[in-house]
Amino acid sequence: MSRTIDCRFGLVVALIAALASLATPAVTVAQDDTHDVTFARDVAPILQRSCQDCHRIGSIAPMSLLTYEETRPWARSIREKVVSRTMPPWYIDKNIGLQDFKYDYSLSDEEILTISSWVDEGAPRGNPADMPPPRQFRDIAEWKIGEPDWVVEIPEPFVVAAEAPNWWGDLYSDSGLTEDRWVKAVETKPSLEGFPVVHHAVTSMEDPDSEEGDYNFLNEYALGKNGDIFPDGTGRQIKAGAKIKFNMHYSAIGVETTDRTRVGIQFYPKGVVPERKLISAHVGDDEDLDIPAGESNVRHDGFYRLKENAHITAFQAHLHNLGKRQCLGAILPDNTKEILSCADWDFGWHIVYNYEDHVAPLLPKGTLLHVTSWHDNSEANRWNDDPTNWAGFGQRSSDEMSFSWVSWYELNDDAFEQEVEERQALTDNNN
């Protein structure tokens, strides 16, 4: 290995560490004594930004938080949830790894202090004239990526009996495309009535003329997950005549339920070819899980080697009900190790953490992605149906899994060196 390559690896590690430290400064928030904290002036804007998408009539949360009258009865519960960072659902560890993410709706320390102070002061309304204008919301049934250019459904409605074993299978639909197109955003979603029975739906493209079968992943639906909007300049190509494969997992809920899952796609304009192909894949899969009864902190490790230089764009943990926490790390070819991100786990929220461009990890070919997962099979886990029973890997909702979804695009050596140099210049400018 040449000295030049050794230095490059060291530079990448230094960049990750430097940017992580820049992104996670120690925060000391002093309480503002110049005015009392009120709902109208101080709390309502926070709820609008980070809570009301879910906490409104017709959405998924159990209560609405649009008005003072709706919010006041829940004040102490809100305080407990935000202070513990249980809500809003954003489970990235604030003390480890990179911290700058796109679409980050978590609360700052200052916002948490504002809500806590408001509750401690008796949750006053304040002057109604201070209220911000009400938010305008999309209908809950609308696509999170915006209106798709193209929608493909599973071939027929699928009926899940009231009492039935878990069902896994692949359903195929013609895409209907008559020309090759590049995908900019994609979202897979169950029908409104089918939502409760869909454990997951993974969509991919299949080329009928290729012996390789599936040639490109599209998107995964799981609880709490929205669609994927690809970073600018990246995309996935879907070919004319392609079939869409829906890998479905249905679970009965005691009532006969019909589902018509579909995938919505937004395209780049015709003739536009993005510079980079975006890859999303399982990494660090570990199917040899051994989770003893009653144990609360059971660790497993998995690995994935990058064959090419990579710009990592997103990380998403994947565990089941016994999941507790997952970390994504990188072991570089010189054996230097870095933790990129850690996130606590809640099965109700399959959150994709999209790195901001200026901190997205740049990793040289040969890097091992290291996925470390922890499971909680004790009675302290409120999602655990039977803490007296051993648990292991399996496809059922009651079984366990351990892997990460990671997205990246590949770079040749020249492009990689250029991105590293640009990142270094950015770091120097911030110092």
Side-chain angles (χ1 to χ4, degrees):
M1 181 179 293
S2 71
R3 185 175 181 86
T4 301
I5 294 178
D6 281 339
C7 291
R8 183 183 68 185
F9 290 167
L11 174 60
V12 175
V13 175
L15 285 172
I16 293 174
L19 288 168
S21 65
L22 286 172
T24 56
V27 177
T28 302
V29 181
Q31 186 164 348
D32 183 357
D33 294 327
T34 60
H35 66 258
D36 294 331
V37 180
T38 70
F39 179 85
R41 181 184 55 232
D42 305 296
V43 174
I46 300 173
L47 300 182
Q48 286 191 348
R49 181 181 74 84
S50 294
C51 307
Q52 291 180 359
D53 271 330
C54 294
H55 285 275
R56 56 191 170 94
I57 295 173
S59 191
I60 62 175
M63 68 289 216
S64 176
L65 300 178
L66 298 185
T67 68
Y68 177 77
E69 288 77 13
E70 291 171 331
T71 306
R72 177 62 182 85
W74 301 97
R76 293 199 174 277
S77 178
I78 292 170
R79 184 189 192 282
E80 187 275 326
K81 293 295 185 182
V82 301
V83 168
S84 65
R85 291 195 180 275
T86 305
M87 286 286 162
W90 183 268
Y91 302 121
I92 284 288
D93 190 316
K94 298 282 188 177
N95 300 303
I96 298 175
L98 304 172
Q99 295 297 319
D100 290 356
F101 296 91
K102 301 173 181 177
Y103 323 115
D104 181 354
Y105 47 82
S106 63
L107 302 188
S108 68
D109 290 349
E110 184 175 4
E111 289 172 323
I112 292 173
L113 178 61
T114 294
I115 291 175
S116 177
S117 299
W118 172 67
V119 176
D120 292 344
E121 293 170 9
R125 179 198 298 267
N127 185 348
D130 292 335
M131 280 287 291
R135 276 193 58 186
Q136 300 299 312
F137 298 100
R138 295 178 296 200
D139 187 273
I140 192 64
E142 292 182 15
W143 300 84
K144 301 300 187 297
I145 61 171
E147 192 62 29
D149 301 312
W150 205 259
V151 177
V152 180
E153 298 178 308
I154 60 175
E156 299 290 341
F158 193 97
V159 178
V160 179
E163 302 291 338
N166 281 235
W167 186 93
W168 302 266
D170 295 331
L171 305 174
Y172 293 86
S173 295
D174 291 325
S175 67
L177 289 174
T178 58
E179 59 183 328
D180 297 352
R181 295 295 300 270
W182 280 89
V183 177
K184 172 62 178 171
V186 58
E187 181 178 352
T188 305
K189 60 188 299 183
S191 55
L192 275 178
E193 62 275 18
F195 157 75
V197 298
V198 179
H199 173 277
H200 80 238
V202 178
T203 51
S204 57
M205 300 170 281
E206 184 165 287
D207 182 356
D209 298 325
S210 171
E211 295 181 358
E212 298 178 0
D214 294 348
Y215 68 89
N216 223 331
F217 168 81
L218 272 172
N219 178 245
E220 177 213 34
Y221 163 79
L223 283 173
K225 184 170 180 176
N226 292 331
D228 293 320
I229 300 174
F230 301 157
D232 290 341
T234 70
R236 297 188 182 119
Q237 188 183 44
I238 180 169
K239 299 177 182 177
K243 290 185 177 295
I244 304 298
K245 183 174 87 169
F246 294 83
N247 176 256
M248 302 297 303
H249 176 182
Y250 288 110
S251 181
I253 59 171
V255 178
E256 183 177 282
T257 307
T258 300
D259 172 60
R260 193 80 186 266
T261 289
R262 61 239 190 255
V263 60
I265 301 170
Q266 287 183 348
F267 296 123
Y268 278 93
K270 291 184 180 181
V272 174
V273 177
E275 183 180 4
R276 307 289 183 192
K277 175 184 174 181
L278 189 68
I279 299 166
S280 294
H282 282 208
V283 307
D285 293 68
D286 187 348
E287 298 184 2
D288 188 22
L289 301 181
D290 179 7
I291 310 173
E295 295 292 326
S296 64
N297 208 38
V298 183
R299 171 176 170 166
H300 292 91
D301 296 83
F303 301 88
Y304 182 97
R305 188 178 298 277
L306 294 171
K307 297 178 181 178
E308 302 293 340
N309 306 314
H311 176 128
I312 307 296
T313 66
F315 152 68
Q316 176 204 330
H318 187 92
L319 305 159
H320 281 184
N321 285 328
L322 301 186
K324 182 175 183 178
R325 180 177 172 86
Q326 188 175 97
C327 291
L328 176 66
I331 305 173
L332 279 77
D334 66 352
N335 209 34
T336 305
K337 302 176 179 67
E338 286 291 331
I339 297 176
L340 305 179
S341 294
C342 289
D344 292 334
W345 176 252
D346 184 320
F347 185 74
W349 299 98
H350 290 65
I351 300 171
V352 181
Y353 299 102
N354 294 275
Y355 296 108
E356 289 282 8
D357 296 339
H358 68 281
V359 301
L362 299 173
L363 302 176
K365 66 182 70 173
T367 295
L368 273 178
L369 295 178
H370 180 194
V371 176
T372 307
S373 299
W374 289 266
H375 291 85
D376 181 358
N377 196 12
S378 74
E379 61 183 11
N381 181 353
R382 65 191 179 105
W383 300 112
N384 192 357
D385 291 334
D386 185 3
T388 66
N389 195 24
W390 175 90
F393 173 83
Q395 298 289 344
R396 299 173 302 172
S397 302
S398 56
D399 295 322
E400 274 307 317
M401 289 190 174
S402 173
F403 69 85
S404 293
W405 285 106
V406 177
S407 298
W408 70 90
Y409 59 81
E410 296 178 344
L411 296 161
N412 62 31
D413 290 343
D414 290 341
F416 182 73
E417 293 285 1
Q418 181 179 346
E419 285 212 17
V420 169
E421 291 173 2
E422 291 172 352
R423 187 70 60 82
Q424 182 64 63
L426 178 64
T427 304
D428 292 343
N429 290 335
N430 287 333
N431 289 336

